[in-house]
Amino acid sequence: MSAAPAYGEDKGGSAGPGEPEYGHDPASGGIFSSDYKRHDDLKEMLDTNKDSLKLEAMKRIVAMIARGKNASDLFPAVVKNVACKNIEVKKLVYVYLVRYAEEQQDLALLSISTFQRGLKDPNQLIRASALRVLSSIRVPIIVPIMMLAIKEAASDMSPYVRKTAAHAIPKLYSLDSDQKDQLIEVIEKLLADKTTLVAGSVVMAFEEVCPERIDLIHKNYRKLCNLLIDVEEWGQVVIISMLTRYARTQFLSPTQNESLLEENPEKAFYGSEEDEAKGPGSEEAATTTVPARKPYVMDPDHRLLLRNTKPLLQSRSAAVVMAVAQLYFHLAPKAEVGVIAKALVRLLRSHSEVQYVVLQNVATMSIKRRGMFEPYLKSFYIRSTDPTQIKILKLEVLTNLANETNIPTVLREFQTYIRSMDKDFVAATIQAIGRCATNIGRVRDTCLNGLVQLLSNRDELVVAESVVVIKKLLQMQPAQHGDIIKHLAKLTDNIQVPMARASILWLIGEYCEHVPKIAPDVLRKMAKSFTAEEDIVKLQVINLAAKLYLTNSKQTKLLTQYVLSLAKYDQNYDIRDRARFTRQLIVPSEQGGALSRHAKKLFLAPKPAPVLESSFKDRDHFQLGSLSHLLNAKATGYQELPDWPEEAPDPSVRNVEVPEWTKCSNREKRKEKEKPFYSDSEGESGPTESADSDPESESASDSKSSGESGSGESSSESDSEDQEEEKERSSGSEQSEEEGGKRKTKKRKKMAEGQGDGSSSDEDSDPSSSSSESERTSETEEEQVEPASWRKKTPPSGKSAPVAKEISLLDLEDFTPPSVQPVSPPTIVSTSLATDLEGLTLTDSPLVPSLLSPASGAGRQELLHRVAGEGLAVDYTFSRQPFSGDPHMVSVHIHFSNSSETPIKGLHVGTPKLPAGISIQEFPEIESLAPGESATAVMGINFCDSTQAANFQLCTQTRQFYVSIQPPVGELMAPVFMSENEFKKEQGKLTGMSEITEKLTLPDSCRSDHIVVQKVTTVANLGRVPCGTSDEYRFAGRTLTSGSLVLLTLDARPSGAAQLTVNSEKMVIGTMLVKDVVQALTQ
């Protein structure tokens, strides 16, 4: 049966008589057509006696429905054909009726006798379709007929019809909930079904109708566990979810005696029940320490569930993998939960929607089970193509996984993320740095200094978010950071984001004793702009005034009264109320309020430092993978995950009364296999299951052996996928990881073969435990291979040891490697980090102290802030003079000033680690810089005609500072002087892809010759070329390294838009230059 012809006919203009040509006139077709005769030809075809015409008409109608078009007005014509003898026509009629029976209930009821006859049809598809249509007619009057039909279908010989009966149960229950008792009987009967086709559907009906009736599951528990691997994917999801709740009510918590389990870590990954039975005897010493509890022994049925769901971690369906992951998280012992990590990481290669759900669950898991995902840290690195919500979730996971060992790597990643153009993501990154600083005390100063450097960023949102995080960090140890508070106070003139201004004012008020000279001046400035401030800022100004009045009333009394007077008449009633309340509290009237005596205690009370916590901390009370967990709110129909019982319920309720079901004789097996599968007509043998007639034992052993061998093959596939990902993420350890992966794959295949050939009769079989051991040993081999590649990257270890203070997020040499694991990769990262990355310089071009001033050749730019440099402040300028040592180098003047109280000795450039092509000519060493003194040195940098940053170390006798100079594109060239004819000749050679043109509108302030030339030459080091016309400006230069010509033409017409043209072989330089010049001219 194919509807292909219908699609072909409807698309083209070959429409029948009376039918509009949908492809030719969009307005005439579809829902909005006013041609009421458009279906007349279809009605005629359905009324004929020819089955071929009827079939053609039904195909076209079903194709219309598939395309979303309304075909409800054909219902009377279609329903007449429900009694058609042709089987193909009848199938399509039932498909149509299922779609429209609910809308056209009255007409559908007229044919109910035909549907009842269809329930007796010899073809299983017709029987199932008739039941489906019957259950779609949602009229209470036919409830008894539906009930009878479902009962009959539940006993049908075809598993497909029984599956349809299971689907009809929730429909009938929603129509009439009084039928619950009868429906439960049907569910109980269908739960005993041994076919995989029915299992998922009946468990879904069970969950909808009577999820509280756990007793119905007892007898079928083991059968469901064994059938699970062969059920269709959506059925697997439903069954796993139900079995998770069942296990939480029937088994003891595997983590109740974690201390006992942790004392014996060498135990097999999946220990057999024989070993566990020996457990109580071998752990007598442990029982003496915990007399209240017996040693934990896992129920065999609990182990059966874990073992049979494990192969499903290799499923192609993300929903199945997620369901197994939540089952293991909620039910497995702590030592075994780790197996789900690899499967969840594999899902991160899927679509962004799947990634979003998986990362939500990983974020929750990583709070309680951090060690599970630590080996896969690189898989959570953020890619530039990720959507914002994925980036923020990955950031959450990275923050949760951060510990003292891997913090250098995590902070290096954060360093890169702050340069992103996605402002929401940048704000989240800064908050993540704050959380790392809170959780890991050793990097608090490093993070704080890095955030202080961000205050020089040009992006106001970055500065604002940094201020808010710095405020929280300073609350932990304010006495040590007076300089930072002073630095923040100076930013009040530039920062306009209300939250950031309010945070600065709160900090100054709270720690006014650390800045006694600056605080009154800040209050004076804020009083001037009080009326123009946002409400949140006004409230903090009132607080600041009150605190200064109580600590320094001599200087601030009049200011405070002025601020309170302004606030008294503010438009916002919150501010008016706060002003009146504050005035009465700090300036008592003659009567004298009782609270006035305690004003200092009220305003200046020590406040606890804020706790920066993950937003996913309390989400694990929702079942993982559920909609409620995703929304962090209880959704309709959500069933709470039950608590573990204190004492184990009776396990005998799951025993099935079958004589020795594991030892079925060969003769019985032969008899079962000789039975005919179905005794009915041709239609019966279609969608059937071989397990229908097998005994429970056979289905158990078959599913188990196939599951284990399947898991072996698929695990090798996932291993190879993992190798591919590692190649992409870290090129340094490619070879070793590939070798480790091959070794792992071979071992797993061998184990899978062993398991497939071995016995699979019981749940305590040894192959499972040995397979887990082989997995563990292969993984440890892989881990041993890795450090070799790390060792290759290790720099010479002759450098100085830990130093006192950190500069930025990346100055991480003071992390001493932990002594427990001398070869773990992160310890080596901490030493090589310095050479890999620059300080926290986060703009595209070097930082400028003023947030608004453009980057230019003339202006000074900050290289090292005095707070980060411990008194050493370093600026630099591009002098635009030829460098004496090498004409291909850019001449950079470095200005040093010592604002500390001790001389700084031995200033020089350390050994730089530069990108290919970039080189540095160091300045001569400055022997000593006395307090208060300044010095200037000249160094040359060959940027190789690129705007890549030159990262190097500024070293003193005691410290090393990691700094970075990134040139604006205009500084990579030198001016060239040529005539107008030479200019035109060279410009004629540089056309096509070497020419970049941009239109712009010049402001009135930028119409004079002097201003245009000044702005262009400020942005780019070019020489002006004479020009015959007054409205045209020409400039020429050559790149320093390659000597490529750069020609710039500005056609500034008096009316209309101006046009800027840059001609250069270096297309990248040309594009960047156009962008910078347009920005300068239009400001």
Side-chain angles (χ1 to χ4, degrees):
M1 182 192 80
S2 171
Y7 284 101
E9 286 169 17
D10 271 3
K11 279 182 185 172
S14 58
E19 185 182 10
E21 298 182 350
Y22 292 109
H24 291 237
D25 182 5
S28 69
I31 300 165
F32 303 108
S33 172
S34 57
D35 182 5
Y36 294 107
K37 296 183 179 180
R38 67 189 184 283
H39 292 143
D40 280 1
D41 65 322
L42 290 173
K43 290 175 183 174
E44 287 172 13
M45 291 167 76
L46 289 168
D47 286 342
T48 62
N49 294 325
K50 292 184 178 179
D51 285 347
S52 59
L53 284 176
K54 287 182 179 179
L55 184 60
E56 187 60 34
M58 285 310 304
K59 283 182 180 179
R60 285 172 59 185
I61 292 167
V62 171
M64 283 169 58
I65 296 169
R67 289 208 301 267
K69 294 183 178 179
N70 185 12
S72 57
D73 54 340
L74 290 166
F75 195 92
V78 173
V79 82
K80 284 189 290 187
N81 289 284
V82 77
C84 179
K85 296 281 175 65
N86 186 297
I87 203 85
E88 295 299 320
V89 174
K90 191 178 274 193
K91 284 179 189 174
L92 292 179
V93 168
Y94 278 122
V95 169
Y96 177 90
L97 293 175
V98 168
R99 169 68 181 79
Y100 288 109
E102 196 167 341
E103 294 176 20
Q104 308 270 352
Q105 292 175 349
D106 295 340
L107 285 171
L109 283 172
L110 296 175
S111 305
I112 202 155
S113 58
T114 313
F115 303 145
Q116 287 178 287
R117 279 200 303 276
L119 292 169
K120 307 289 185 186
D121 195 278
N123 189 310
Q124 59 177 351
L125 294 175
I126 301 297
R127 295 202 300 275
S129 298
L131 179 58
R132 197 177 289 121
V133 174
L134 202 57
S135 60
S136 299
I137 306 172
R138 304 183 61 73
V139 181
I141 196 168
I142 64 161
V143 165
I145 298 172
M146 282 174 66
M147 190 71 239
L148 195 63
I150 289 172
K151 283 183 176 177
E152 285 182 9
S155 305
D156 197 280
M157 284 187 292
S158 164
Y160 181 65
V161 178
R162 300 200 295 274
K163 178 189 179 78
T164 310
H167 288 168
I169 290 171
K171 293 182 185 178
L172 179 54
Y173 179 69
S174 64
L175 188 62
D176 183 6
S177 56
D178 294 338
Q179 304 292 322
K180 183 173 181 177
D181 292 338
Q182 291 185 64
L183 289 174
I184 288 175
E185 290 175 16
V186 180
I187 289 172
E188 188 171 10
K189 182 177 183 180
L190 288 172
L191 277 170
D193 202 300
K194 293 174 184 159
T195 54
T196 54
L197 199 63
V198 180
S201 302
V202 69
V203 170
M204 187 71 221
F206 169 82
E207 291 280 79
E208 292 282 332
V209 177
C210 53
E212 72 285 350
R213 287 290 303 274
I214 291 289
D215 56 293
L216 299 179
I217 305 297
H218 290 323
K219 299 286 183 190
N220 302 295
Y221 171 82
R222 290 171 186 162
K223 182 197 70 184
L224 286 172
C225 287
N226 288 317
L227 289 182
L228 190 57
I229 199 158
D230 295 317
V231 177
E232 82 277 6
E233 289 164 349
W234 296 114
Q236 288 173 340
V237 173
V238 175
I239 294 172
I240 290 169
S241 178
M242 184 273 292
L243 291 178
T244 304
R245 288 192 308 106
Y246 177 86
R248 285 291 286 252
T249 61
Q250 299 301 310
F251 307 130
L252 291 176
S253 169
T255 57
Q256 65 181 3
N257 285 347
E258 272 183 9
S259 58
L260 297 179
L261 290 172
E262 286 169 3
E263 282 176 10
N264 189 13
E266 296 302 317
K267 193 174 180 184
F269 197 69
Y270 281 113
S272 65
E273 270 74 65
E274 292 171 12
D275 294 339
E276 286 164 351
K278 294 174 192 171
S282 62
E283 293 175 357
E284 287 171 4
T287 51
T288 56
T289 57
V290 190
R293 290 195 184 275
K294 297 176 182 176
Y296 173 72
V297 179
M298 184 176 281
D299 189 295
D301 288 327
H302 190 171
R303 171 61 65 201
L304 175 71
L305 176 60
L306 293 175
R307 181 183 296 139
N308 283 11
T309 50
K310 187 184 176 188
L312 295 179
L313 287 171
Q314 311 296 339
S315 172
R316 65 181 179 181
S317 166
V320 175
V321 176
M322 194 64 246
V324 178
Q326 64 86 24
L327 179 138
Y328 261 75
F329 184 78
H330 291 303
L331 301 182
K334 192 174 181 181
E336 298 179 23
V337 181
V339 296
I340 66 175
K342 191 171 187 178
L344 290 175
V345 168
R346 174 170 64 86
L347 294 184
L348 295 181
R349 300 173 203 160
S350 188
H351 306 294
S352 57
E353 294 83 0
V354 174
Q355 286 184 51
Y356 181 74
V357 175
V358 171
L359 285 167
Q360 288 260 6
N361 291 280
V362 170
T364 303
M365 293 179 192
S366 60
I367 293 172
K368 283 198 169 179
R369 306 276 168 86
R370 180 193 295 168
M372 193 163 74
F373 294 100
E374 278 177 3
Y376 306 100
L377 186 73
K378 286 183 181 177
S379 300
F380 300 104
Y381 284 179
I382 290 152
R383 293 177 172 82
S384 57
T385 53
D386 288 336
T388 303
Q389 65 269 25
I390 300 291
K391 289 179 180 175
I392 290 172
L393 282 172
K394 283 187 175 179
L395 200 60
E396 180 74 34
V397 176
L398 283 173
T399 312
N400 290 344
L401 297 182
N403 57 32
E404 292 196 357
T405 311
N406 61 28
I407 190 67
T409 316
V410 173
L411 287 182
R412 182 173 63 183
E413 279 294 302
F414 289 173
Q415 147 78 26
T416 313
Y417 300 160
I418 293 172
R419 300 183 186 189
S420 169
M421 300 302 292
D422 185 342
K423 298 309 167 199
D424 291 338
F425 172 51
V426 172
T429 304
I430 294 170
Q431 290 171 6
I433 293 170
R435 271 182 55 201
C436 288
T438 314
N439 300 337
I440 303 167
R442 289 173 60 186
V443 294
R444 191 169 298 149
D445 288 342
T446 309
C447 294
L448 197 53
N449 288 332
L451 290 169
V452 168
Q453 283 202 349
L454 285 182
L455 299 178
S456 306
N457 196 291
R458 288 189 197 151
D459 194 319
E460 200 172 342
L461 288 172
V462 172
V463 177
E465 199 64 46
S466 304
V467 168
V468 174
V469 175
I470 286 171
K471 172 205 154 192
K472 292 174 179 174
L473 294 180
L474 285 184
Q475 280 183 261
M476 297 176 183
Q477 39 188 14
Q480 302 170 23
H481 300 293
D483 276 351
I484 295 176
I485 296 173
K486 288 176 189 172
H487 186 62
L488 289 172
K490 292 176 185 174
L491 292 174
T492 48
D493 295 335
N494 297 322
I495 296 180
Q496 300 304 322
V497 178
M499 189 65 200
R501 289 174 74 81
S503 296
I504 293 173
L505 293 174
W506 185 90
L507 269 176
I508 293 169
E510 188 67 18
Y511 306 115
C512 51
E513 69 274 10
H514 297 298
V515 282
K517 293 180 181 176
I518 292 176
D521 200 46
V522 172
L523 179 61
R524 177 183 63 77
K525 285 184 177 180
M526 298 311 295
K528 282 169 68 176
S529 61
F530 184 85
T531 51
E533 298 288 353
E534 293 287 334
D535 292 345
I536 187 173
V537 182
K538 288 178 180 176
L539 290 171
Q540 290 306 327
V541 174
I542 295 170
N543 275 351
L544 175 61
K547 289 172 181 175
L548 288 177
Y549 182 88
L550 293 170
T551 56
N552 186 4
S553 60
K554 187 176 178 182
Q555 275 185 293
T556 57
K557 183 174 182 180
L558 292 172
L559 267 175
T560 303
Q561 289 177 353
Y562 175 66
V563 168
L564 292 175
S565 300
L566 287 174
K568 184 178 179 182
Y569 300 105
D570 196 87
Q571 291 181 346
N572 187 303
Y573 56 82
D574 281 337
I575 293 165
R576 297 198 298 271
D577 290 350
R578 178 71 66 90
R580 292 192 187 98
F581 159 74
T582 305
R583 186 188 291 276
Q584 289 301 318
L585 198 56
I586 64 172
V587 190
S589 56
E590 293 175 4
Q591 291 83 6
L595 282 175
S596 301
R597 294 192 295 275
H598 306 292
K600 269 197 176 184
K601 289 181 182 176
L602 289 171
F603 277 101
L604 301 172
K607 297 166 183 68
V611 181
L612 299 174
E613 287 183 338
S614 169
S615 57
F616 288 83
K617 190 179 180 199
D618 299 321
R619 281 205 193 184
D620 59 342
H621 63 275
F622 291 117
Q623 186 170 353
L624 292 185
S626 64
L627 179 63
S628 301
H629 174 270
L630 193 74
L631 301 174
N632 199 21
K634 192 172 180 180
T636 309
Y638 173 71
Q639 294 169 29
E640 295 280 354
L641 201 60
D643 292 327
W644 293 101
E646 287 295 320
E647 292 184 7
D650 181 15
S652 63
V653 292
R654 289 183 290 281
N655 292 341
V656 183
E657 296 173 8
V658 176
E660 291 293 311
W661 64 278
T662 55
K663 296 177 183 176
C664 183
S665 70
N666 288 334
R667 189 181 302 163
E668 287 170 340
K669 281 186 183 178
R670 214 173 296 120
K671 280 181 186 174
E672 293 287 341
K673 285 179 182 174
E674 284 167 6
K675 265 190 195 177
F677 199 71
Y678 282 114
S679 55
D680 214 334
S681 66
E682 48 84 24
E684 299 295 347
S685 59
T688 54
E689 290 291 321
S690 60
D692 188 32
S693 57
D694 287 354
E696 194 166 315
S697 62
E698 201 170 350
S699 69
S701 60
D702 287 348
S703 69
K704 185 178 162 192
S705 61
S706 67
E708 287 172 355
S709 61
S711 72
E713 292 166 14
S714 50
S715 69
S716 68
E717 288 170 16
S718 71
D719 287 349
S720 64
E721 285 175 11
D722 282 357
Q723 288 173 21
E724 286 171 16
E725 188 189 6
E726 286 301 323
K727 282 180 192 172
E728 292 168 11
R729 299 299 306 173
S730 60
S731 58
S733 54
E734 265 180 37
Q735 277 188 322
S736 58
E737 281 176 6
E738 279 179 13
E739 287 164 15
K742 285 174 188 171
R743 219 175 292 136
K744 200 164 162 185
T745 309
K746 284 178 187 173
K747 287 204 174 193
R748 294 234 178 127
K749 280 185 179 173
K750 282 178 189 173
M751 289 313 304
E753 287 165 15
Q755 287 171 13
D757 298 335
S759 87
S760 55
S761 59
D762 204 358
E763 55 266 21
D764 355 345
S765 59
D766 290 332
S768 65
S769 62
S770 61
S771 73
S772 66
E773 285 172 10
S774 74
E775 284 175 22
R776 193 189 299 160
T777 53
S778 61
E779 280 168 15
T780 53
E781 282 176 19
E782 200 173 30
E783 287 168 12
Q784 287 167 6
V785 174
E786 265 189 5
S789 60
W790 283 93
R791 263 182 245 118
K792 289 175 194 171
K793 290 194 224 168
T794 312
S797 56
K799 294 188 180 177
S800 56
V803 275
K805 243 182 174 184
E806 296 86 281
I807 305 160
S808 66
L809 285 182
L810 301 174
D811 183 20
L812 296 162
E813 284 201 323
D814 56 335
F815 290 109
T816 51
S819 57
V820 184
Q821 298 173 334
V823 287
S824 69
T827 60
I828 288 143
V829 171
S830 64
T831 56
S832 65
L833 216 77
T835 54
D836 287 341
L837 288 143
E838 60 195 82
L840 203 71
T841 310
L842 303 166
T843 48
D844 291 337
S845 56
L847 299 181
V848 186
S850 163
L851 291 170
L852 301 173
S853 65
S856 70
R860 277 197 184 194
Q861 300 174 63
E862 188 177 77
L863 188 62
L864 181 65
H865 191 273
R866 63 184 181 81
V867 174
E870 300 175 13
L872 174 64
V874 186
D875 297 333
Y876 67 96
T877 52
F878 294 99
S879 66
R880 294 193 172 177
Q881 297 167 359
F883 184 67
S884 56
D886 183 350
H888 296 306
M889 288 190 165
V890 178
S891 178
V892 184
H893 285 205
I894 313 289
H895 310 279
F896 303 94
S897 61
N898 183 2
S899 57
S900 68
E901 296 174 358
T902 56
I904 297 171
K905 296 185 179 180
L907 267 169
H908 65 282
V909 175
T911 308
K913 184 179 179 182
L914 300 165
I918 296 182
S919 57
I920 285 180
Q921 181 72 46
E922 302 162 7
F923 58 83
E925 182 175 336
I926 299 172
E927 293 182 1
S928 180
L929 194 63
E933 270 192 12
S934 298
T936 302
V938 181
M939 68 186 293
I941 305 176
N942 184 348
F943 287 104
C944 200
D945 289 352
S946 77
T947 55
Q948 284 190 79
N951 305 324
F952 57 95
Q953 299 169 335
L954 271 181
C955 305
T956 66
Q957 281 187 353
T958 56
R959 286 301 313 263
Q960 293 176 345
F961 303 106
Y962 295 90
V963 292
S964 169
I965 295 179
Q966 186 169 16
V969 70
E971 302 299 332
L972 300 175
M973 50 198 75
V976 171
F977 301 99
M978 57 174 66
S979 67
E980 185 174 3
N981 289 335
E982 286 174 329
F983 185 93
K984 287 180 178 178
K985 183 181 175 183
E986 294 295 340
Q987 193 176 31
K989 296 176 185 176
L990 297 169
T991 54
M993 291 183 71
S994 300
E995 184 172 272
I996 298 106
T997 305
E998 183 77 30
K999 290 194 183 302
L1000 66 152
T1001 305
L1002 292 176
D1004 294 335
S1005 60
C1006 191
R1007 288 286 178 184
S1008 70
D1009 283 10
H1010 172 69
I1011 291 173
V1012 169
V1013 172
Q1014 184 190 12
K1015 288 198 171 188
V1016 172
T1017 53
T1018 301
V1019 169
N1021 189 14
L1022 299 172
R1024 189 171 181 189
V1025 176
C1027 183
T1029 55
S1030 59
D1031 295 329
E1032 193 169 311
Y1033 304 89
R1034 291 175 180 160
F1035 303 87
R1038 285 187 186 276
T1039 58
L1040 285 169
T1041 304
S1042 63
S1044 302
L1045 266 179
V1046 179
L1047 307 177
L1048 186 147
T1049 311
L1050 177 65
D1051 186 2
R1053 300 160 193 167
S1055 59
Q1059 181 167 303
L1060 178 70
T1061 306
V1062 171
N1063 301 80
S1064 175
E1065 291 173 8
K1066 303 276 186 181
M1067 286 184 290
V1068 176
I1069 285 182
T1071 307
M1072 295 170 75
L1073 185 60
V1074 166
K1075 183 180 172 185
D1076 287 358
V1077 173
V1078 168
Q1079 187 178 354
L1081 291 173
T1082 53
Q1083 271 184 352

